[in-house]
Amino acid sequence: MNTSHASDGAADELLRALEAAGCRLTAERRAVAQLIASRDGAFDSADLLTDSRRRNLGVARATIFRTLDVLTSIGAVERLDLPSGEHSYVRCDTRAHHHHLVCTRCQRSVDLEQIGMMPIIAQIERETGYRVDGHRVELFGLCPACQAIEAGRSGEGAETG
Ligand SMILES: [Zn+2]
Ligand SMILES: [Zn+2]
Ligand SMILES: [Zn+2]
């Protein structure tokens, strides 16, 4: 597995995670790991299918779904519930707690270690008597590049989107 692509380290990590979860590393699973590793930011199964076709990898849609499910269940990939009601995925190291800030237009993603949740959670614990053991907060919006594109467009007149 010592090839020269920049994304190979990430692909290796995904493969190790799959192996640790007891998955056999079939050629198709290796291909899916490679596709995920070469993605920048958030992606969905349709993106992976498109990438697979573009590269003539011939990975079945079902394999993409199953591999994403396994990777999600072992925490190597995190499933994001988008404001639109759709789902997307982001490659993720869940060993260190963090949050994602995702651009809803280009899907670039930034990891945020601290978003000031602890004082809010402490207050919620006081108010409810619950002991809060975890939380998931994802943030969505427009990245600077997409804001610039939108600003350019709004100069052109009425846009309904
Ligand atoms: Zn992450
Ligand atoms: Zn947090
Ligand atoms: Zn963007």
Side-chain angles (χ1 to χ4, degrees):
M1 265 196 268
N2 287 320
T3 47
S4 58
H5 299 289
S7 59
D8 275 9
D12 285 351
E13 233 169 78
L14 292 170
L15 291 172
R16 274 198 298 276
L18 282 170
E19 231 174 2
C23 289
R24 226 158 40 82
L25 299 184
T26 60
E28 279 202 316
R29 288 220 174 96
R30 285 174 192 276
V32 175
Q34 198 68 59
L35 291 173
I36 292 172
S38 52
R39 274 266 149 197
D40 185 23
F43 56 89
D44 60 19
S45 52
D47 291 327
L48 297 184
L49 198 61
T50 305
D51 291 352
S52 161
R53 286 183 179 147
R54 204 173 283 148
R55 300 195 203 174
N56 287 314
L57 294 177
V59 181
R61 184 190 297 264
T63 304
I64 290 174
F65 278 121
R66 267 201 309 272
T67 308
L68 280 172
D69 272 352
V70 175
L71 288 168
T72 302
S73 70
I74 61 182
V77 161
E78 186 167 330
R79 191 172 119 129
L80 304 173
D81 298 316
L82 301 180
S84 63
E86 290 168 350
H87 302 291
S88 86
Y89 297 85
V90 65
R91 186 154 44 84
C92 191
D93 181 358
T94 51
R95 283 170 298 186
H97 177 79
H98 62 276
H99 305 267
H100 300 115
L101 170 58
V102 182
C103 178
T104 48
R105 192 176 171 281
C106 70
Q107 305 210 308
R108 257 187 224 109
S109 163
V110 177
D111 284 2
L112 306 170
E113 283 170 27
Q114 262 297 350
I115 58 168
M117 283 299 291
M118 294 326 280
I120 296 167
I121 288 170
Q123 188 190 335
I124 289 168
E125 285 181 323
R126 278 196 301 276
E127 285 173 6
T128 64
Y130 277 56
R131 188 193 73 207
V132 177
D133 290 330
H135 63 270
R136 281 186 56 180
V137 180
E138 314 293 356
L139 301 158
F140 302 95
L142 281 185
C143 72
C146 290
Q147 287 178 54
I149 292 168
E150 280 227 330
R153 272 199 188 155
S154 66
E156 291 166 16
E159 283 251 350
T160 46

